[in-house]
């Protein structure tokens, strides 16, 4: 039985999340029951939604229980199997959590998904060809539903969702404009990800300046917005939204002290007859096959070349996660566990 | 040629609208050209959207030009016709404006609509079986799209839109809860309009008190909300909205000084995966026939018995309109012009 290092949630954040909210423990992996498989994780995905799970307060998902392994997506390899559907050596995606190994009931629908690494690197199944990619796909295709020639904007443009958003939007003939923090990320968004323009919110750091920059980057206004951040950036984007435009709400940060951030001018939703819709991609499993097929094709053909920031070893996960929350990563944040 | 008294917009409001923004003038009605009809207005409709038209600033509709007759819906009778489609005595609905007579090109599509007053009183074509009724229909049926058993809430419940909303919601097996100002309006909403409950926002006059009252009136939470006012009432309703709930945005007042009113916690739209959609009913003419048929049937069968507040004479229109903006009317506000 291999030794399994895990990160558990030790205590809940008081305001900002800190490293001491987490605790590293080590356990023996248990013997497998019939139907179970043992997966050795190669990569752990770190994602902003995990911050919401750390709170006790009502969020769009259940709280992470104290003392239990942090929730998280993983890709890995079957190293032991008592399930005829899985063979040792199979590459699988699952929700293994912040740990080196997981024991999975292979008969539970959706618990594991076998993946093909011929054209798509294993790690990308946590990003462009995984949950973040499908998130971008759902928001763009199902909520924004753009037609060719529409201008679509995404915040956190250089991240995993933003990267996929750009490729999907360009494939539909849209003008794709990103918002990201820092000149380097903006250059990357335009030169590597295919955005037509990218606005640095550190350079344009208030509603008025951002709104002016958006006017230049979006001469025909904005038809669709994919919201990853909320707050003042959303206020600025709303000033440039066209009549009958759509906003897909995917992420909205709270204020520094955890208080809700207001929306400055909600009447714009009426004035411009906008549609604003919040969603969680895990509630729309019916679109995953179609979305993953398109995303896999975009990666396989080189039209979507997502960048990754990789921390090494499970003990590095908390610091890597806190960095992600501050935008220190560049592209998809992963932890390599092998 | 009869003498035609008119109300024109003389100057734009500085903050609150006042009577001196308007001016009463009298003109001769011109001789008819081929294809035209002369309509004598029996009733003028006063509606909150007119306040937005008085501003120069960007609104969801064009500004009302200074010195021209105020825009407004009217019902009346054809008194002279040079159009074979209209005979003297025909009852017609149109956008005749704040005046006693209008000359209408009868060949312009949608300019006039003949109505039958056998089962529906003429004035109701400006309310329950007119624009306000179709507004309630579109928001409820097309945006909220409730199923039987859903709880739906409307603000300004005792007004023309709210009255129709209640009848339409009850016809679909929903629990209908209103919000209105004052005990008398709330009693009327429950006893006459068929609301299951109505909350007095003067009694529950802050977010916390309103939210508590909503919890009692909506024990299963809120699945759909029809927004006529915005501001703190919307903030309170949002605290009680269920997962996957819908908000139809139809009216949102500004703050006292004309500044936008913020939305306190927009992240609730994400947390509860809500859909929020603004609309203007005149942009959805395709639904009018279906909506008017249902509304006419509800009125004809006595299931929708809307109340009216009627001012007498065109000179009384400005004060009646200012009263409407302050909620002094009870049900649909009209001006009788005969």
């Amino acid at each position: 039985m291999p030794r399994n290092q895990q990160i558990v949630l030790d205590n809940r954040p008081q305001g900002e999340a800190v490293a001491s909210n987490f605790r590293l423990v080590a356990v023996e992996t248990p013997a497998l029951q019939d139907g179970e498989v043992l997966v050795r994780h190669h990569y752990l995905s770190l994602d902003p939604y995990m911050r919401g799970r750390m709170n006790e307060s009502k969020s769009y998902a259940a709280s992470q229980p104290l003392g239990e392994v942090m929730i998280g997506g993983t890709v890995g390899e079957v190293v032991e199997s008592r399930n005829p559907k899985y063979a040792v050596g199979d590459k699988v995606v699952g929700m293994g959590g912040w740990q080196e190994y997981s024991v999975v009931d292979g008969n539970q629908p959706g618990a594991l998904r076998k993946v093909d690494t011929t054209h798509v690197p294993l790690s990308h199944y946590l990003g462009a060809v995984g949950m973040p990619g499908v998130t971008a796909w759902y928001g763009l295709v199902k909520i924004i539903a753009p037609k060719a020639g529409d201008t679509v904007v995404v915040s956190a443009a250089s991240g995993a969702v933003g990267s996929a958003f750009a490729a999907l939007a360009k494939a539909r003939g849209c003008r794709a404009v990103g918002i990201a923090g820092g000149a380097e990320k903006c250059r990357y968004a335009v030169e590597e990800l295919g955005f037509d323009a990218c606005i640095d919110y550190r350079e344009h750091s208030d509603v008025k300046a951002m709104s002016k920059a958006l006017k230049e980057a979006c001469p025909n206004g904005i038809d669709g917005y994919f919201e990853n951040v909320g707050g003042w950036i959303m206020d600025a984007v709303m000033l440039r939204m066209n009549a009958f435009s759509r906003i897909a709400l995917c992420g909205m940060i709270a204020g520094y002290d955890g208080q809700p951030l207001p929306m400055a001018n909600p009447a714009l939703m009426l004035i411009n007859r906008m549609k604003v819709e919040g969603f969680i991609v895990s509630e729309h499993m019916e679109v995953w096959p179609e979305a993953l097929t398109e995303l896999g094709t975009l990666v396989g053909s080189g039209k979507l070349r997502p960048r990754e920031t990789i921390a090494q070893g499970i003990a590095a996960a908390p610091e890597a996660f806190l960095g992600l929350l501050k935008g220190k990563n560049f592209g998809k944040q992963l932890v390599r566990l092998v």
Side-chain angles (χ1 to χ4, degrees), chain A residues 180-202:
Chain A
E184 193 192 359
K185 285 184 178 173
C186 283
R187 198 162 44 240
Y188 163 70
V190 171
E191 292 176 2
E192 299 287 322
L193 296 176
F195 281 101
D196 295 290
C198 188
I199 300 167
D200 179 359
Y201 66 76
R202 293 185 189 155

Side-chain angles (χ1 to χ4, degrees), chain A residues 118-203:
Chain A
T118 315
H119 300 291
V120 175
L122 184 58
S123 62
H124 283 13
Y125 287 106
L126 293 176
V129 193
M131 188 269 284
V134 181
T135 299
W137 192 95
Y138 188 88
L140 181 73
V141 176
K142 291 294 180 180
I143 297 179
I144 296 174
K147 43 182 202 317
D150 276 4
T151 297
V152 295
V153 175
V154 63
S155 53
S158 69
V161 175
S163 303
F165 186 90
L168 294 166
K170 293 313 294 177
R172 284 160 178 75
C174 298
R175 177 172 177 81
V177 174
I179 300 171
E184 193 192 359
K185 285 184 178 173
C186 283
R187 198 162 44 240
Y188 163 70
V190 171
E191 292 176 2
E192 299 287 322
L193 296 176
F195 281 101
D196 295 290
C198 188
I199 300 167
D200 179 359
Y201 66 76
R202 293 185 189 155
E203 188 186 337

